């Protein structure tokens, strides 16, 4: 029997144990091991009942995603589950950690399921652009009802063991030793007949009991929320088959749909995103044996919106944090922001009063810098002004303990220049959070020229510990995300100067799948933020176009965006819904006139191409300069920090789907027309000429490191 699955008997109970670290994924060896173990259990006459359980940190967390797209190897998972389903002896699945995807489907093929109280169950396949393909769409609705099954399958989020018990997905929660509890449960049901099989349940899938139009509504809703991805709607079709077809026909329909999904670019994109996030955590020259420093107590300098959000991030994971500002009123305002944020989460039922009190209890507001003497990590989150930041870092250098990590949340400034204000630049790093810091998953970790490996390793680990996706980037203006954003916004603004309107540009980009278009995002972030930065920078030389002209005019008129209920759009009081404003069109036409630009019809395709190719070309330059380690890191930054649609895989993955020769050809044509802002990246030219992709570039980097 394959070494990853073992079989043993304890008295009258056969125990099948899966041991395939790190997450007991259902690779070929596990599938054939499960098959063989069942055969042994059924053949052993002393066995009256069977327990299926896993070693390690979790129950089976799904099919082995690395096998997707490769020729399938027998036994197929459906066949393995069919054998468990047909067992003549009761099988009890003992769930701990996360029973996900194919793992939960295996458990649904068993007669009973018991779980540790902190376990989770889910069918997250939709997050990989596919759907449960081993009976989950047919068995789950039979067991927990159609609406709950739709919720779990179309949404993809796991549920707690407690909820699973309450909806009948799990038969019992086992306190203490899970295996002993499962064996006791198995013994208690050993003689019970007939054996309960999920496939035989029909009450929950009786069409007469379902709300008319349920599936059409679910499909409409799925389309509305999926920003153009087709995966969620396909999940609805599969669950519909459970109601409209006999079990085996439903299984066949599920099979047809998953084969269609696995072959789709959408699923390839989302699988790329899955592995890209995990790869981002690996730093070639900082191996896992580089020691990390403990972060048991943190501090945040600056109690503004950003600082307050960052303090919450630490309090949320149990790390006490000191929130510092120069005046008590500023500190109080920061603590107030925190209380309001937690209050809002509590109102949504996602936090209890007790949890809120505990978290707020971990945050100490102060104006006394001596309170920083013993913290392990300080994050500076004050105004974007170099002089102020250097002053703060030189003060921290004198105050903080020797091995404290001094971090800056700057989004644009030179981390090396900030580090040079201290006697310990090796302890300085950039930790660039995204607003709202307690919500956005991305953390750009900015490695300075002198940042030590232990500080890098600690920051990468910290990102995971605080629930963020950490991506290591180098020092340059705007790092990875904002540097590319600047080129994307540049093109969006040029297109508006040439004839497009904000709503057209935003419609094209949200149609592509972005959560928000560039103009609505500027209104959310505040048009005045960019305006103040531009005002401090030199204007482009004569003859060179200036992308900030329209935004500057709006800001000069006090149209800062949502905060003034007017920006690129108008906002009704208290509403965040952008409304087209004829006043803005007048302003834009006037600015074009002053710039000597004759306005013209701009096609949607041109908007998409120029905005996307500006991103891609800058991304390639960033890779060439080694500011990012991988093209997939750039994708991870854009998906977790800028609302890039995950079903497109990120700007660099998208470029590979378009084809780099095509991207290069268009970039060169745009350079012809619009000048040096479109100078093609050398790396893009090299890869296109060699018929290679950004994915090739990444695997070569990986191979050479
Ligand atoms: N297949 C292959 N590798 C996997 C894997 C999987 N299903 N899940 C995790 N890994 C690797 C991961 O790449 C990483 O590798 C290591 O395990 C640790 O993961 C038929 C078709 C379980 C919640 O979508 O959500 O079943 O980077 O860093 O934070 O219907 O992993 O160390 O080299 O994420 O503790 C459905 C995917 C599959 C679950 C653990 N299942 N996994 O999180 O660790 S489709 C999923 C997760 C399916 C059936 C269909 C998480 C986790 P490395 P990690 P973690």
């Amino acid at each position: 029997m394959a070494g990853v699955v073992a079989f043993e008997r304890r008295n009258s109970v056969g125990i099948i144990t899966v041991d395939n670290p790190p997450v007991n994924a259902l690779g070929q060896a596990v599938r054939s091991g499960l098959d063989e173990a069942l055969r042994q259990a059924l053949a052993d006459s002393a066995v009256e009942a069977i327990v299926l359980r896993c070693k390690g940190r979790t129950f089976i967390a799904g099919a082995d995603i690395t096998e997707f797209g490769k020729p399938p190897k027998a036994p197929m998972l459906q066949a393995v589950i069919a054998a468990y389903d047909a067992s003549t002896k009761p099988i009890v699945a003992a769930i701990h950690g996360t029973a996900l995807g194919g793992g939960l489907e295996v458990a649904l093929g068993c007669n009973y399921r018991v779980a540790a109280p902190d376990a989770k169950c889910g069918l997250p396949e939709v997050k990989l652009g596919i759907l449960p393909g081993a009976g989950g769409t047919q068995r789950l609705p039979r067991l927990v009802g159609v609406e709950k099954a739709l919720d779990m399958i179309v949404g993809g989020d796991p549920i707690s063991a407690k909820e699973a018990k309450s909806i009948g997905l799990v038969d019992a929660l086992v306190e203490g030793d899970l295996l002993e509890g499962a064996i006791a449960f198995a013994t208690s049901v050993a003689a019970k007949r007939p054996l309960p099989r999920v496939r035989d349940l029909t009450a929950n899938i009786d069409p007469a009991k379902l709300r008319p139009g349920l599936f059409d509504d679910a499909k409409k809703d799925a389309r509305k929320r999926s920003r153009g991805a087709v995966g969620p709607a396909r999940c609805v079709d599969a669950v519909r088959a459970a109601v409209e077809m006999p079990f085996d026909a439903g299984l066949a329909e599920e099979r047809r749909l998953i084969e269609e999904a696995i072959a789709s670019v959408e699923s390839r994109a989302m699988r790329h995103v899955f592995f890209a996030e995990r790869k981002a955590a690996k730093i070639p020259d900082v191996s896992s044996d580089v020691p990390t420093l403990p972060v048991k107590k943190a501090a945040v300098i600056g109690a503004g919106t950003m600082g307050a959000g960052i303090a919450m991030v630490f309090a949320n994971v149990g790390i006490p944090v000191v929130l510092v500002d120069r005046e008590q009123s500023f500190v109080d305002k920061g603590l107030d922001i925190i209380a309001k944020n937690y209050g809002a989460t509590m109102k949504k039922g996602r936090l209890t009063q007790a949890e809120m009190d505990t978290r707020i209890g971990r945050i100490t507001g102060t104006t006394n810098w001596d309170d920083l003497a013993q913290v392990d990590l300080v994050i500076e989150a004050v105004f974007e002004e170099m002089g102020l930041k250097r002053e703060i870092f030189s003060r921290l250098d004198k105050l903080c303990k020797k091995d404290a990590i001094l971090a800056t949340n700057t989004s644009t400034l030179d981390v090396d220049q900030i580090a040079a204000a201290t006697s310990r630049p090796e302890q300085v790093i950039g930790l660039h959070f995204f607003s709202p810091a307690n919500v956005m998953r991305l953390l750009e970790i900015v490695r300075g020229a002198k940042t030590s490996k232990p500080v890098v390793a600690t920051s990468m680990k910290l990102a995971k510990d605080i629930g963020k996706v950490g991506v290591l980037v180098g020092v340059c203006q705007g790092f990875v995300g904002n540097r590319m954003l600047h080129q994307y916004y540049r093109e969006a603004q040029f297109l508006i100067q040439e004839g497009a309107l904000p709503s057209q540009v935003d419609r094209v980009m949200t149609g592509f799948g972005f959560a928000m278009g560039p103009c609505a995002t500027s209104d959310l972030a505040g048009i005045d933020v960019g305006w103040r930065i531009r005002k401090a920078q030199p204007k482009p030389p004569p003859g060179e176009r200036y992308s900030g002209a329209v935004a500057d005019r709006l800001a000069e008129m006090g149209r800062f965006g949502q905060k003034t209920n007017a920006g690129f759009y108008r906002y009704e009081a208290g509403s965040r819904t952008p409304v087209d404003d004829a006043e803005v069109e007048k302003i834009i036409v006037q600015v074009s006139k002053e710039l000597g630009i004759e306005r013209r019809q701009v096609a949607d395709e041109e908007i998409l191409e120029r905005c996307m190719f500006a991103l891609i070309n800058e991304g390639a330059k960033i890779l060439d300069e080694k500011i990012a380690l991988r093209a997939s890191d750039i994708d991870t930054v854009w998906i977790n920090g800028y609302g890039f649609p995950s079903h497109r895989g990120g700007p660099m993955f998208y470029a590979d789907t378009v084809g780099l020769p095509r991207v290069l050809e268009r970039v060169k044509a745009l350079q012809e027309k619009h000048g040096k802002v479109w100078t093609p990246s050398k790396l893009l030219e090299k890869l296109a000429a060699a018929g290679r992709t950004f994915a090739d570039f990444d695997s070569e980097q990986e191979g050479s490191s």
Side-chain angles (χ1 to χ4, degrees):
M1 180 154 41
V4 287
V5 180
F7 173 71
E8 62 180 300
R9 181 167 57 77
R10 282 210 204 150
N11 305 323
S12 63
V13 175
I15 301 165
I16 298 175
T17 303
V18 179
D19 187 7
N20 182 33
V23 296
N24 290 312
L26 288 156
Q28 194 275 341
V30 172
R31 297 195 304 270
S32 62
L34 284 170
D35 243 6
E36 178 51 28
L38 181 64
R39 244 193 301 282
Q40 283 194 31
L42 294 176
D44 184 336
S45 58
V47 171
E48 294 169 8
I50 304 165
V51 167
L52 169 63
R53 59 111 182 200
C54 295
K55 276 199 177 157
R57 62 180 165 169
T58 181
F59 189 77
I60 302 166
D64 186 336
I65 307 169
T66 61
E67 290 184 350
F68 290 11
K70 297 178 183 147
K73 290 195 186 124
M76 299 301 286
L77 184 55
Q78 290 76 1
V80 174
I81 295 176
Y84 276 66
D85 195 22
S87 167
T88 52
K89 300 178 182 180
I91 309 177
V92 178
I95 297 170
H96 76 291
T98 52
L100 300 175
L104 184 58
E105 290 174 299
V106 169
L108 287 167
C110 298
N111 305 102
Y112 301 95
R113 287 148 294 281
V114 300
D118 60 354
K120 286 190 175 343
C121 300
L123 294 174
E125 286 86 344
V126 70
K127 298 185 180 191
L128 297 168
I130 58 174
L131 57 137
T137 66
Q138 305 305 302
R139 288 192 173 87
L140 189 66
R142 281 172 164 76
L143 191 58
V144 304
V146 170
E147 300 213 30
K148 186 63 196 173
L150 277 172
D151 192 33
M152 289 179 68
I153 294 171
V154 178
D157 295 327
I159 63 171
S160 69
K162 195 156 156 272
E163 185 185 355
K165 172 78 174 67
S166 70
I167 62 174
L169 176 54
V170 156
D171 299 284
L173 298 183
V174 176
E175 299 287 348
D177 187 307
L178 178 64
L179 179 57
E180 294 311 322
I183 291 172
F185 186 96
T187 310
S188 72
V189 297
K192 273 196 187 153
R193 292 296 181 279
L195 295 175
R197 296 192 333 167
V198 178
R199 63 170 291 157
D200 299 337
L201 300 173
T202 54
N204 281 336
I205 52 163
D206 175 357
K209 287 199 192 132
L210 299 178
R211 179 172 59 75
L214 169 70
F215 289 110
D216 295 340
D217 294 351
K219 210 164 176 180
K220 230 184 290 147
D221 186 49
R223 285 214 180 90
K224 209 168 71 208
R225 283 188 293 130
S226 66
R227 293 163 44 197
V230 297
R234 198 186 273 123
C235 289
V236 176
D237 291 340
V239 177
R240 183 196 292 256
V243 172
E244 297 177 355
M245 301 178 184
F247 184 79
D248 292 316
L251 272 187
E253 175 63 2
E254 180 193 77
R255 185 82 241 142
R256 185 187 69 75
L257 289 166
I258 192 172
E259 280 166 7
E260 183 186 285
I262 281 189
S264 69
V265 173
E266 177 175 310
S267 177
R268 266 198 314 113
M270 296 174 87
R271 281 147 35 202
H272 163 77
V273 171
F274 177 86
F275 287 114
E277 262 184 42
R278 281 142 188 93
K279 256 191 233 149
K282 302 185 171 88
I283 312 303
D285 70 328
V286 180
S287 59
S288 54
D289 54 15
V290 170
T292 57
L293 305 162
V295 178
K296 297 234 175 329
K297 189 166 184 192
V300 177
I301 313 281
T305 312
M306 215 52 204
I310 296 170
M312 291 174 71
V313 169
F314 287 86
N316 291 349
V317 295
I319 299 175
V321 55
V322 182
L323 183 60
V324 183
D325 212 312
R326 52 195 165 82
E327 287 175 29
Q328 192 54 43
S329 60
F330 297 155
V331 173
D332 296 343
K333 196 156 169 259
L335 294 175
D336 193 42
I337 293 170
I338 292 169
K340 282 207 177 76
N341 286 345
Y342 280 133
T345 311
M346 205 171 65
K347 249 216 212 95
K348 293 181 195 138
R350 292 208 306 263
L351 194 68
T352 63
Q353 182 68 53
E355 285 164 342
M356 173 170 164
D357 298 344
T358 307
R359 293 180 189 193
I360 288 181
R362 293 189 185 118
I363 303 172
T364 315
T366 182
T367 58
N368 181 358
W369 284 57
D370 295 341
D371 295 344
L372 302 174
Q374 288 315 313
V375 300
D376 303 307
L377 165 69
V378 184
I379 301 174
E380 160 277 313
V382 303
F383 222 56
E384 281 290 79
E385 211 269 313
M386 183 55 87
L388 175 61
K389 292 189 189 278
R390 285 174 54 87
E391 188 200 312
I392 287 173
F393 273 73
S394 105
R395 199 168 166 195
L396 291 172
D397 190 24
K398 300 181 187 67
L399 261 173
C400 296
K401 63 182 183 175
K402 204 169 69 45
D403 59 356
I405 295 177
L406 307 182
T408 171
N409 178 55
T410 182
S411 57
T412 55
L413 300 177
D414 183 333
V415 172
D416 290 325
Q417 222 182 314
I418 295 171
T422 75
S423 62
R424 50 168 120 177
E426 72 284 357
Q427 291 296 109
V428 176
I429 194 160
L431 293 181
H432 177 210
F433 289 79
F434 287 73
S435 181
N438 54 310
V439 176
M440 295 299 285
R441 291 184 71 220
L442 180 65
L443 181 62
E444 262 186 336
I445 299 172
V446 188
R447 182 180 194 168
K450 298 192 176 142
T451 305
S452 73
K453 291 187 178 180
V455 168
V456 171
T458 305
S459 303
M460 298 308 294
K461 177 179 176 303
L462 178 74
K464 190 151 190 179
D465 294 347
I466 59 177
K468 301 294 182 192
V469 179
V471 178
L472 191 71
V473 299
V475 173
C476 71
Q477 176 88 23
F479 315 129
V480 169
N482 285 348
R483 176 174 161 180
M484 292 169 71
L485 186 72
H486 183 69
Q487 308 308 327
Y488 167 50
Y489 276 11
R490 178 203 77 217
E491 279 310 302
Q493 290 306 315
F494 280 165
L495 287 154
I496 286 172
Q497 292 174 5
E498 293 165 33
L501 288 175
S503 53
Q504 182 191 9
V505 173
D506 283 1
R507 175 178 49 71
V508 170
M509 299 322 288
T510 50
F512 179 77
F514 272 91
M516 283 176 102
C519 300
T521 310
S522 299
D523 278 357
L524 174 70
I527 295 174
D528 55 320
V529 179
W531 177 53
R532 290 182 213 293
I533 293 173
R534 285 191 299 276
K535 278 208 299 186
Q537 291 166 342
K539 283 273 187 301
E544 219 174 274
R545 291 184 64 184
Y546 173 53
S547 61
V550 171
D552 286 0
R553 185 62 50 85
L554 294 173
E556 284 147 15
M557 299 168 71
R559 299 180 68 108
F560 294 165
Q562 285 189 12
K563 59 181 125 181
T564 57
N565 292 333
F568 283 101
Y569 298 96
R570 195 166 45 76
Y571 300 83
E572 304 299 338
S575 157
R576 289 172 175 271
T577 309
V579 182
D580 274 348
D581 188 340
E583 184 57 30
V584 172
E585 182 166 350
K586 274 203 219 112
I587 295 165
I588 292 171
V589 170
Q590 176 57 31
V591 170
S592 299
K593 195 154 169 257
E594 290 166 16
L595 293 172
I597 297 173
E598 194 172 331
R599 296 182 65 74
R600 60 180 173 85
Q601 279 300 318
V602 176
D604 289 359
E605 297 70 34
E606 181 183 354
I607 292 172
L608 182 64
E609 183 179 86
R610 284 173 59 177
C611 288
M612 285 309 302
F613 289 5
L615 270 181
I616 294 163
N617 194 34
E618 195 65 23
K621 291 177 182 172
I622 284 171
L623 271 180
D624 219 2
E625 295 164 28
K626 301 198 175 348
I627 299 292
L629 290 170
R630 309 167 186 97
S632 64
D633 284 1
I634 296 177
D635 292 335
T636 301
V637 163
W638 269 79
I639 283 165
N640 291 288
Y642 297 85
F644 195 100
S646 60
H647 68 270
R648 303 277 188 182
M652 310 317 275
F653 179 91
Y654 173 71
D656 282 351
T657 61
V658 172
L660 300 192
R662 165 80 184 151
V663 174
L664 179 61
E665 177 208 322
R666 295 303 307 145
V667 166
K668 284 188 169 165
L670 289 163
Q671 182 190 24
E672 279 291 306
K673 199 156 173 226
H674 299 288
K676 71 179 175 63
V677 286
W678 280 101
T679 305
S681 141
K682 296 252 173 311
L683 178 65
L684 177 60
E685 288 181 314
K686 207 166 65 186
L687 293 174
R692 288 160 47 222
T693 64
F694 287 122
D696 296 334
F697 173 84
D698 280 359
S699 26
E700 277 142 29
Q701 297 292 302
E702 219 167 298
S704 63
S705 62

